[in-house]
Amino acid sequence: MALGTVTAASYELRFDTGRVCLDLLATTHPVERLGSVEVLRAWITGAGLVPAGTALAHADASWPVAFRELRGWLAPLVRGRPAPGVPAYDLALARINELARAAPPVPRAVPGEGGVLVRRLDGPPGRAALLAAVARDAVELLTDPVALGSLRQCEGDNCPIVYVDTSRGRRRRWCSSEVCGNRERVARHRRRAALARA
């Protein structure tokens, strides 16, 4: 999984939640991020689902739809409380498990520049394989009590992003110190400055 952001002319994708399935959930904030095949290709690479330079030219208009659908199934499982027996929860869980059954992309080690081994895929990754990789990450998250216990909702104003808090002492407050944390620090500075002027 990648960390940081990928920026292009019309979009910014974030990869700072600690899990690829949570990075997919973050693509709704502050607006829909997966509106085109081009952006989805950048997200797939930025999330580390494929090695940099992997050809994704075969991705078509059905891919963003499928990834947004997967994101919709993830949301109630991650953001809500476990609620077996509730039809929406059971349906979401069944759909994630179904998507996870497909084989994920097959990696292989090949010699790169200077003989250093690099990761490449055995062939062009299919949509089902990439969806499976994200769904499997969700299954791992949902079945890991330690990771579940480390899930946090960002404390930033109107920020819905959920992340895994791996900080020392589990004191992380924001999805990103550079984004929501910076906004909070600026707002706090302005409040102090306003009080000093009063």
Side-chain angles (χ1 to χ4, degrees):
M1 175 190 42
L3 294 176
T5 62
V6 171
T7 305
S10 62
Y11 60 91
E12 181 178 281
L13 300 170
R14 294 178 46 194
F15 303 99
D16 48 13
T17 66
R19 298 300 290 245
V20 70
C21 63
L22 299 178
D23 288 339
L24 180 61
L25 278 177
T27 61
T28 61
H29 180 71
V31 296
E32 175 60 58
R33 301 288 187 187
L34 298 182
S36 72
V37 176
E38 173 197 16
V39 176
L40 179 61
R41 286 180 187 135
W43 184 85
I44 288 168
T45 302
L49 292 176
V50 299
T54 299
L56 294 170
H58 60 290
D60 61 31
S62 69
W63 285 43
V65 173
F67 275 84
R68 288 191 305 262
E69 181 181 291
L70 170 56
R71 184 182 64 198
W73 296 121
L74 286 170
L77 299 175
V78 171
R79 291 193 173 121
R81 294 284 174 232
V86 173
Y89 180 90
D90 290 345
L91 182 59
L93 189 58
R95 189 65 180 124
I96 294 297
N97 285 329
E98 181 182 325
L99 289 168
R101 293 178 72 157
V106 178
R108 59 191 180 112
V110 297
E113 288 185 31
V116 175
L117 293 178
V118 295
R119 183 173 68 110
R120 295 286 181 255
L121 297 184
D122 206 29
R127 183 182 77 184
L130 294 170
L131 290 169
V134 179
R136 286 175 182 221
D137 183 62
V139 168
E140 290 174 17
L141 173 67
L142 295 169
T143 59
D144 180 347
V146 174
L148 276 177
S150 298
L151 285 183
R152 303 286 183 269
Q153 168 77 44
C154 180
E155 293 181 21
D157 284 341
N158 301 315
C159 183
I161 294 179
V162 176
Y163 59 90
V164 177
D165 182 2
T166 58
S167 66
R168 189 182 341 181
R170 306 291 187 255
R171 289 182 248 165
R172 182 173 162 190
R173 297 179 50 205
W174 304 293
C175 59
S176 167
S177 182
E178 292 79 25
V179 179
C180 288
N182 192 47
R183 285 185 196 130
E184 176 65 25
R185 287 185 289 276
V186 167
R188 194 178 325 139
H189 173 74
R190 287 181 179 158
R191 285 191 300 268
R192 280 194 300 257
L195 284 173
R197 286 191 303 266

